[in-house]
Amino acid sequence: MSRELIAFEARHLLGIEIQPGQRDEVMVGSIEGTAQWIEAQNYPSFTGLRGGEVIAAAGLVPSGSGVGTGWMFLPNCADRHDMLWVMRQSKRLLNTVQRDAKYLSVQITVRKGWKAAERFAGMLGFTATDVVVCPEGVKHMYTVYERF
C-alpha cells in the first residue's frame, strides 16, 4: 500500500488511538485540543498516510533562540514497515527544517523507560541529556533529548 506525506491538519488526529506510551503527552487537555493548537501555530508539521489512514503526525515548534521543539504522534495502527518509513521521512524533514529554520538544536521529550521511543529518538539523531522533567498533571517522567 502506498504511503504519502502531506501538510498536517488538526482533523488528521481526530479519532485516532495514539500509542499507550503517548497518551499522557497530550498538551491541551485532549488530542483534539492539542491538534487544534498545533494547526493554529502554523509551524512546519506533517502527516504520514498509508492508503489514506494516518500513521504519523509530527512537526517542530520554535521554543527559544535557535531552538526548536519536536513533537510526534503515532497511532496504534502503525506497523513496523510504517515505522521505518516514518523514521526515514522524519529524519529527512528534520534535516531540512533544522537547516532552513536555522535551529542550532532541536529538543524532544521521551517517556523515561519507553525503550522503543528511546531507540527511535536515537535513530533520528537525538541524544539523551541529563535533564529529566515531569510536567504538571502528568504521572510519568520524561528525558529531554537533543539533536544538533
Side-chain angles (χ1 to χ4, degrees), residues 5 44 46 58-61 68-72 86-103 105-108 120-126 146-148:
L5 203 58
F46 308 91
L60 287 173
V61 177
T69 298
W71 62 271
M72 179 179 284
V86 167
M87 189 271 302
R88 288 179 178 151
Q89 297 303 312
S90 297
K91 196 168 192 174
R92 181 179 61 78
L93 290 167
L94 262 171
N95 290 338
T96 300
V97 173
Q98 190 170 358
R99 181 194 64 233
D100 292 352
K102 297 183 174 47
Y103 288 133
S105 71
V106 174
Q107 297 178 340
I108 59 171
F120 193 79
M123 288 188 285
L124 291 175
F126 287 92
E146 196 159 35
R147 180 182 198 269
F148 295 96

Side-chain angles (χ1 to χ4, degrees), residues 2-69:
S2 68
R3 293 175 183 84
E4 64 179 324
L5 203 58
I6 62 172
F8 174 79
E9 295 177 26
R11 66 184 177 85
H12 297 155
L13 291 184
L14 302 181
I16 71 163
E17 186 172 332
I18 57 175
Q19 294 181 356
Q22 292 189 291
R23 290 199 182 124
D24 63 352
E25 292 182 32
V26 175
M27 300 176 286
V28 189
S30 68
I31 192 71
E32 292 83 6
T34 297
Q36 290 167 355
W37 181 87
I38 290 167
E39 184 177 58
Q41 303 312 302
N42 200 28
Y43 295 120
S45 52
F46 308 91
T47 301
L49 302 173
R50 177 191 6 93
E53 183 175 26
V54 174
I55 56 172
L60 287 173
V61 177
S63 57
S65 182
V67 179
T69 298

